[in-house]
Amino acid sequence: PGMVPFRGGLPAVRTWQKFGTLEMNYDLSPNLSLNSLTGYYKLNTWVDFNCSNSGQAASGCMTTKRLKREDFTQEIRLSSDNDGPFNFTLGGFYQDGEITNQVVLPGNVALFGSPAFARLFDGTHDIDIRAISLFGQGRFKVTPQFEIAAGARWTDEKRTSTPTSVDLFG
């Protein structure tokens, strides 16, 4: 379905965002800590603009776009703080996200004189994001001023892309 311009056909952009993080730290023992970092992000953007940048004359079309994005992330880390030479960090990361981009190109029916030009294009592009990652790092203090660190990270990320368009003339 087509979208109604939110300012009656006048060029405009409206962006609305909501985001936040929550960090929690817990000391499991004097030398072992657990850290949790949670994130949330939501975006809605509405864009309507004259696609031919005409001034006084009526535009032949107007692009109408609606972009939405929502993400949830969670990271957990377990870290040591030993008096001895060896310390470590182990953890995991998770992301669940979704992006929807809808674009409609309505034509100027009054200018073209035909209802066939009511919509020249109508399509969406949806992206679904799922990611998980595990990581670790070991640190060895050779001297009080010199430390050697080695780490590794494994990540599995899947993005499903689903573009669709409406056949307006079929």
Side-chain angles (χ1 to χ4, degrees), residues 66-96:
R66 303 295 182 258
L67 175 69
K68 296 178 183 179
R69 179 168 187 154
E70 190 167 10
D71 283 290
F72 169 80
T73 59
Q74 177 66 54
E75 182 172 294
I76 295 177
R77 294 187 299 268
L78 178 67
S79 300
S80 69
D81 188 17
N82 296 314
D83 292 334
F86 180 75
N87 281 292
F88 65 88
T89 299
L90 299 172
F93 174 82
Y94 172 76
Q95 178 185 13
D96 180 3

Side-chain angles (χ1 to χ4, degrees), residues 3-163:
M3 291 177 274
V4 176
F6 68 93
R7 287 195 62 221
L10 297 173
V13 175
R14 181 171 71 189
T15 299
W16 175 85
Q17 298 181 78
K18 187 188 315 185
F19 56 90
T21 60
L22 174 64
E23 183 173 3
M24 295 185 293
N25 296 295
Y26 183 71
D27 291 329
L28 299 172
S29 70
N31 60 350
L32 197 59
S33 63
L34 185 66
N35 171 269
S36 171
L37 184 60
T38 306
Y40 176 77
Y41 178 68
K42 186 171 185 174
L43 166 75
N44 284 310
T45 298
W46 289 15
V47 179
D48 294 342
F49 67 91
N50 174 334
C51 64
S52 63
N53 290 321
S54 62
Q56 299 296 327
S59 175
C61 58
M62 178 176 173
T63 302
T64 304
K65 173 185 176 109
R66 303 295 182 258
L67 175 69
K68 296 178 183 179
R69 179 168 187 154
E70 190 167 10
D71 283 290
F72 169 80
T73 59
Q74 177 66 54
E75 182 172 294
I76 295 177
R77 294 187 299 268
L78 178 67
S79 300
S80 69
D81 188 17
N82 296 314
D83 292 334
F86 180 75
N87 281 292
F88 65 88
T89 299
L90 299 172
F93 174 82
Y94 172 76
Q95 178 185 13
D96 180 3
E98 187 175 324
I99 302 169
T100 299
N101 187 17
Q102 182 180 17
V103 177
V104 175
L105 184 60
N108 188 333
V109 175
L111 180 66
F112 292 117
S114 169
F117 291 99
R119 276 193 299 163
L120 305 174
F121 176 81
D122 190 342
T124 61
H125 187 192
D126 296 329
I127 300 173
D128 190 46
I129 305 165
R130 299 286 181 276
I132 189 167
S133 179
L134 301 174
F135 55 88
Q137 179 187 52
R139 298 175 306 283
F140 185 76
K141 193 171 277 195
V142 180
T143 69
Q145 295 81 23
F146 181 67
E147 183 177 78
I148 296 174
R153 177 182 287 266
W154 169 84
T155 301
D156 181 28
E157 181 172 321
K158 291 183 176 48
R159 291 183 178 230
T160 305
S161 177
T162 310

